[in-house]
Each structure stands twice: as structure tokens, then as C-alpha cells.
Amino acid sequence: MSVMVVRKKAMRKWEKLPGRNTFCCDGRIMMARQKGIFYLTLFLILGTCALFFAFECRYLAVQLSPAIPVFAVVLFLFAMAMLLRTSFSDPGVIPRALPDEAAFIEMEIEATNGTVPQGQRPPPRIKNFQINNQIVKLKYCYTCKIFRPPRASHCSICDNCVERFDHHCPWVGNCVGKRNYRYFYLFILSLSLLTIYIFTFNIVYVALKSMKIGFLNTLKETPGTVLEVLICFFTLWSVVGLTGFHTFLVALNQTTNEDIKGAWTGKNRVQNPYSHGNIVKNCCEVLCGPLPPSVLDRRGILQQEDSSAQGENSTRGPSTQEPSTPEKSSTQEPSAAQVLGAQVVGSIREGSSSPTRQSAVPMLPLSPTGMPEEAQPSAVELPAQSWEDGPTEH
Amino acid sequence: LSPQAHDLQELRRSASLATKVFVQRDYNDGTLCQFQTKFPLELDSRLERQLFEETVKTLNGFYTEAEKIGGSSYLEGCLACATAYFIFLCMETHYEKVLKKISKYIQEQNEQVYAPRGLLLTDPVERGMRVIEISIYEDRCGSTSSGSTSSGGGGGR
């Protein structure tokens, strides 16, 4: 770490996190690196709704009912809130193992498998667990150096292991996992409703106005209508279909990842051990279940050995009962609280001192859902995580 | 200074980190956060099995409470959905409340049980809920008594 003489701002942990994520607003916002398609999504939704409110709503509010634009506004705001929530939140990233932990697991693996002579292919690193009378295999992630929990998967685009990994969605510019699946589902649901709503009322508008001034004149007066109808028509087929698909997944408590891989197709009498067997219960659990907080501490302050007294020792949750005192680098009369803090400092420093290298930015496939790939056995080095300043406030 | 904190000070002055033990997750109940109660052999000389099992079982109980699916969690979920999740700007989730309880419990356990034996528990939340990290400190001066002055480095009490 370079010695900084003048520190204007304490460094936060997000600046040193591995993985290919972008952080904005000083770590409050977390997205994938590729954001182009997300901006397109925003543009399409905002643009279409702006046209709808500007043209059709004025006519329909007067002719039919003022409730029409009101309901549209509510739907629009809800859809936008869900989109931003999906895009900006932590999908459930599992932080990488610190060196001590990784070494411990390696030792355990070697103890189980025995040391492999040079040149021979090592046996696959798998742990078996029995869940609900089903044998579930846990795979070892070479990048994150952990045994992945069940249903977790490594996203090769974001280079993170994500819990209950569903898929990487370029349209929202983020992975969809345990923590943001319900926002994603509510987003596509509300977007479907919004699209159907706008489409329907555009047709109604054209029909009503055509009766008075003729079809071609209507289109000439509000050319935006054609654009809206086109966008809504194509969106309908994709988004409504996607909503239907995800409703099916929610009812069975499956993820897109499991569905694509055919994990629970039923052959060899393999069944989904996570399903409650009851559609209502599955829906309730997935959509209204408890929401785990992010374990990826983004806004914690990274303690520097030679920092001027910052005073803040913000690790996750109140880990100290005594009032926080400035961190001292040497072991001068540390109290219990400082030892607890120092423990975390030591680990952070170890974690952040790994060598970094520039990694090539991967090309995204332009499909509604990105195909998740398994992690390749890679070298020890962690890829560099670069970030850019966020353009907007949340 | 309370006698327990004083013990810790004595310990830290004369102790250095020997090794760490990692208690892994137990996935037999699915994706719920539970830790294995299997006693790590490295702690054999330091800690009684019973105490360790009690700690892990209590932690497991806390996590079960945090992830409990029932009437109150559904209510929280539905209310949050109705407010487009803006309510979480002013309200803590049930899970976060339980995590705070867990932090306090670990602090207590460290002070009362683990530190006097030269051990330190790390809150699993700081390790991504993957492991319970137990650091084993070795007493440089060789004495494992608590409260007695050991000679390492100067200083009065």
C-alpha cells in the first residue's frame, strides 16, 4: 500500500473489492460493469411513458376519466422503483475467502483427497450433503476459494459467487440473486402491466380520436402514438413471456440457472429439495420471505496502518461495545475492543494486498437473459476491479 | 476496568496469533444458515466441547429465528412491497435486528468464555456467513492463568 501523507477522504472497502462490479455513490450502489443495456431500458421506459403522459393522457383524462393517468403514474413509479432497486442492490454476493480461510479449506481438501503427484489431474473438489433425502453436491469455486453453498453459482460476468443465483440480466445491469430476485420479479410484473396498460389505452385513444377526426389525422397529430404502440408491442411479447416464466419458477421455487441446467427435471428421481410442494407457500417464501442483509461490506472504512486518527472503526454491525478509539498500528495496550477490531483489520489488509492485473472486459450476449457459466479453474490472482464515478444520485 | 477486560489486556500483551480454526456451514437443512457443531480438534486442549457446542447451537438458533418464515415475516414482506420497499429506509428488517443480537452474544461469549482461554470468535457476518472463525492465541509467556501479572513488556496494571 502506498503511504499517503495527506488524506482527504478515508478509503472505503468497496474500492478494494475483487470482482467486476461498478460502485457508485461511495459504495451505496452496486452494478455490473456493462451498463449500456441498462441505460437503454431506462430510456425506453422513460421515453414511452413521457410520450404517453404528454399526449394520450391529456386527451383520455378529459374524455374518459382522470383516473387513467393517475393509475399510470402509480404503475410507472412502482416499476421504476423496482428497476432501480434490482439494478443497484447487492444480489447476494458471497465475499471471497480470506487467505487464512482458503488455506484451511485447501488443507481439508488435501486431507480428504490426499496429495496428488505432479502431472496428475486432481480429483474434483466436491462436498456432498443430504438435503431433504436428496444428495446435493457442493462445488468448490477456484476463484472465490470457497465451497459454494447450494443454489449459489459463480457469475463469470461479474466474477462473483452469488447466492441463489438466478441469472445475470444485462437489461437491469446486474446479477439477479437471492437479495434482489423479488425486486426483479416485481419489476417485470409491473412493467408487463404498464406495457399492457399503455398499449390498451393507446388503442383506445386512437379509436376514440379516429371517430372524430379520422385515423390518418390522429396519427399525424400525435406521431408518438405509433412509436409507443410499436415499443409496447415488442415489449409485450418479451416481458410478459418472461413474467410468465418467472411466475412458473417462483411457484416451483426454482431458479433460472437450475431450470436451464435441468437440475430438477425428475430423471433419476431427482426432485427439488427446496420446494415446499405447495405453490402458495413457495410464492410466499420467494416473494415475501425474510430479506437477508448484504454481507459484502461496501461502506466500511479500510483501515490504513499509517492513517491519521480516523476514529471510525465501522465493521458490520456493532462489534464493539466500548467507544471507538483510534487504531494504533503497534500493539500498545490494546483493549478487547481494539483486538476485535484489529482482527478485522489484519484480515482486510491480507485480503486487499493481493496482486491485481487488468482484465479484459467481456462482451455481453444480447439476449434477454445472460447465460451463467461455471468458473474455470483459474490462477490465484484476482482480477482488478475498476470503477467509475456514478452519474446520478440514487 | 472490569476484571475480564483486564484479563484480555494481559493476554494480548503476551499472546500472539498461533492459528485459526474455521467452523463450516452445515447445509443439511437446506440453504438456511447453520453451522456445524462438530468440535474442531485444534481446540481440544483449550476449550470444553460443551461450551463450544453451546455457542454454536445458540448461534444456529439465532439464525433460525432470523430466517423464520411465518406470519410476521410475511407481514413485513407485504408491507414493504406495498410501500415499494421505501419503508426500509426508516425501519430495520427483522433479519438485521437478529444480526445485532448475534453481535452482542458473540461479544459476550468472547469476554466470558473465549478470551480467558486465549481464543477469539469472529462474527460470521464479517466472513460472509461462510464460517465461524476462531482465532487461537498462544501465550508467549507460557502461563495460561488469568489475572496474574506476566512479565511480557513493561507496564503496571
Side-chain angles (χ1 to χ4, degrees):
Chain A
M1 296 239 178
S2 58
V3 175
M4 291 182 147
V5 179
V6 178
R7 301 195 111 255
K8 292 199 182 102
K9 188 174 75 131
M11 198 178 252
R12 293 200 186 251
K13 293 186 193 172
W14 62 265
E15 300 183 48
K16 291 287 176 195
L17 279 177
R20 289 194 280 266
N21 286 103
T22 309
F23 297 90
C24 311
C25 291
D26 205 15
R28 291 183 183 86
I29 290 176
M30 176 173 174
M31 294 181 73
R33 207 171 270 188
Q34 239 75 344
K35 295 187 282 293
I37 304 186
F38 166 67
Y39 291 140
L40 176 66
T41 310
L42 269 182
F43 175 73
L44 284 174
I45 298 177
L46 290 171
T48 312
C49 291
L51 285 174
F52 182 69
F53 291 129
F55 299 112
E56 284 82 11
C57 270
R58 274 194 274 171
Y59 183 81
L60 289 171
V62 169
Q63 294 291 320
L64 287 182
S65 159
I68 293 174
V70 168
F71 199 64
V73 167
V74 170
L75 259 182
F76 165 70
L77 288 176
F78 189 77
M80 283 304 294
M82 291 299 105
L83 170 64
L84 294 179
R85 194 95 202 200
T86 312
S87 305
F88 293 162
S89 56
D90 174 6
V93 171
I94 305 175
R96 297 191 185 189
L98 298 169
D100 289 333
E101 198 186 321
F104 186 84
I105 297 179
E106 292 267 343
M107 261 174 19
E108 269 195 355
I109 293 173
E110 258 167 44
T112 342
N113 292 342
T115 35
V116 180
Q118 284 273 355
Q120 249 189 47
R121 191 155 167 257
R125 296 175 170 189
I126 289 182
K127 257 195 206 172
N128 285 332
F129 273 94
Q130 196 177 31
I131 300 174
N132 268 354
N133 300 320
Q134 196 98 30
I135 302 283
V136 172
K137 290 188 195 307
L138 298 191
K139 285 204 189 143
Y140 180 76
C141 180
Y142 285 89
T143 314
C144 302
K145 306 235 186 288
I146 56 170
F147 273 99
R148 262 180 242 139
R151 312 192 92 178
S153 191
H154 191 94
C155 175
S156 52
I157 299 171
C158 300
D159 205 21
N160 287 319
C161 270
V162 178
E163 280 192 84
R164 202 187 181 278
F165 182 74
D166 195 85
H167 67 282
H168 181 98
C169 186
W171 297 95
V172 303
N174 204 357
C175 287
V176 178
K178 183 160 97 167
R179 293 193 68 246
N180 63 355
Y181 184 72
R182 68 191 70 188
Y183 307 135
F184 175 75
Y185 180 78
L186 289 171
F187 164 61
I188 55 177
L189 183 66
S190 55
L191 187 64
S192 304
L193 294 174
L194 185 65
T195 310
I196 295 173
Y197 193 86
I198 293 181
F199 187 73
T200 313
F201 281 106
N202 269 314
I203 306 289
V204 167
Y205 166 83
V206 169
L208 280 180
K209 217 158 183 197
S210 302
M211 287 199 299
K212 297 207 178 123
I213 62 172
F215 182 67
L216 282 172
N217 286 333
T218 312
L219 294 184
K220 266 191 229 162
E221 218 180 279
T222 51
T225 312
V226 180
L227 194 61
E228 282 174 63
V229 169
L230 272 173
I231 292 176
C232 286
F233 184 73
F234 287 113
T235 311
L236 262 179
W237 288 113
S238 49
V239 177
V240 172
L242 192 65
T243 310
F245 174 63
H246 277 279
T247 310
F248 164 76
L249 289 181
V250 166
L252 295 181
N253 201 340
Q254 270 188 31
T255 63
T256 307
N257 196 17
E258 287 163 356
D259 189 72
I260 286 175
K261 291 189 180 156
W264 320 119
T265 47
K267 61 180 178 186
N268 301 331
R269 283 183 294 148
V270 169
Q271 276 174 15
N272 188 357
Y274 311 108
S275 168
H276 296 277
N278 179 347
I279 290 182
V280 173
K281 228 180 165 188
N282 282 338
C283 288
C284 284
E285 191 202 319
V286 177
L287 300 177
C288 307
L291 188 64
S294 171
V295 287
L296 198 69
D297 188 16
R298 288 165 275 159
R299 290 182 44 78
I301 303 261
L302 253 185
Q303 297 290 341
Q304 301 290 326
E305 196 149 329
D306 41 18
S307 76
S308 55
Q310 278 292 324
E312 234 186 296
N313 187 10
S314 66
T315 55
R316 276 221 107 254
S319 59
T320 62
Q321 280 177 354
E322 301 169 31
S324 56
T325 51
E327 272 299 311
K328 298 196 176 84
S329 54
S330 58
T331 53
Q332 299 167 21
E333 300 189 291
S335 64
Q338 284 183 332
V339 169
L340 286 171
Q343 196 56 35
V344 180
V345 168
S347 323
I348 294 166
R349 230 176 283 135
E350 286 163 47
S352 62
S353 62
S354 25
T356 56
R357 60 167 169 80
Q358 286 298 322
S359 58
V361 172
M363 288 302 293
L364 271 187
L366 275 184
S367 57
T369 62
M371 291 286 289
E373 292 151 36
E374 288 299 314
Q376 310 294 323
S378 59
V380 178
E381 284 182 300
L382 303 170
Q385 174 250 315
S386 73
W387 50 275
E388 53 189 280
D389 285 341
T392 52
E393 287 282 306
H394 179 35
Chain B
L1 285 173
S2 68
Q4 283 150 352
H6 195 58
D7 288 346
L8 281 170
Q9 274 199 13
E10 289 292 329
L11 187 63
R12 298 303 167 240
R13 237 180 255 147
S14 60
S16 67
L17 182 62
T19 184
K20 290 185 188 174
V21 180
F22 297 93
V23 179
Q24 305 285 334
R25 284 270 293 269
D26 177 13
Y27 293 113
N28 284 312
D29 281 330
T31 50
L32 298 173
C33 182
Q34 299 278 283
F35 290 95
Q36 292 183 359
T37 48
K38 194 182 75 153
F39 187 72
L41 295 168
E42 291 90 338
L43 296 179
D44 210 359
S45 52
R46 299 287 201 125
L47 183 67
E48 295 81 3
R49 272 175 201 257
Q50 215 183 330
L51 289 171
F52 171 81
E53 276 179 18
E54 196 193 304
T55 309
V56 178
K57 282 198 177 132
T58 314
L59 285 176
N60 283 345
F62 275 125
Y63 287 118
T64 311
E65 188 196 328
E67 297 182 11
K68 193 179 64 159
I69 307 173
S72 59
S73 73
Y74 289 154
L75 198 62
E76 189 187 52
C78 290
L79 178 69
C81 178
T83 61
Y85 298 96
F86 278 105
I87 199 167
F88 289 141
L89 291 172
C90 29
M91 195 182 90
E92 242 181 9
T93 64
H94 174 66
Y95 210 110
E96 281 168 349
K97 287 186 195 143
V98 178
L99 284 183
K100 282 206 171 131
K101 276 202 264 180
I102 290 173
S103 268
K104 276 213 183 106
Y105 174 74
I106 289 183
Q107 181 94 30
E108 263 173 53
Q109 287 284 293
N110 270 331
E111 277 173 8
Q112 292 167 8
V113 178
Y114 288 83
R117 292 170 172 76
L119 302 171
L120 186 72
L121 280 181
T122 306
D123 197 335
V125 102
E126 287 164 27
R127 295 291 176 266
M129 311 279 256
R130 294 184 306 266
V131 288
I132 304 177
E133 183 182 298
I134 305 181
S135 313
I136 303 178
Y137 287 86
E138 84 190 17
D139 199 1
R140 257 187 243 134
C141 301
S143 67
T144 51
S145 61
S146 51
S148 62
T149 18
S150 11
S151 53
R157 293 186 156 195

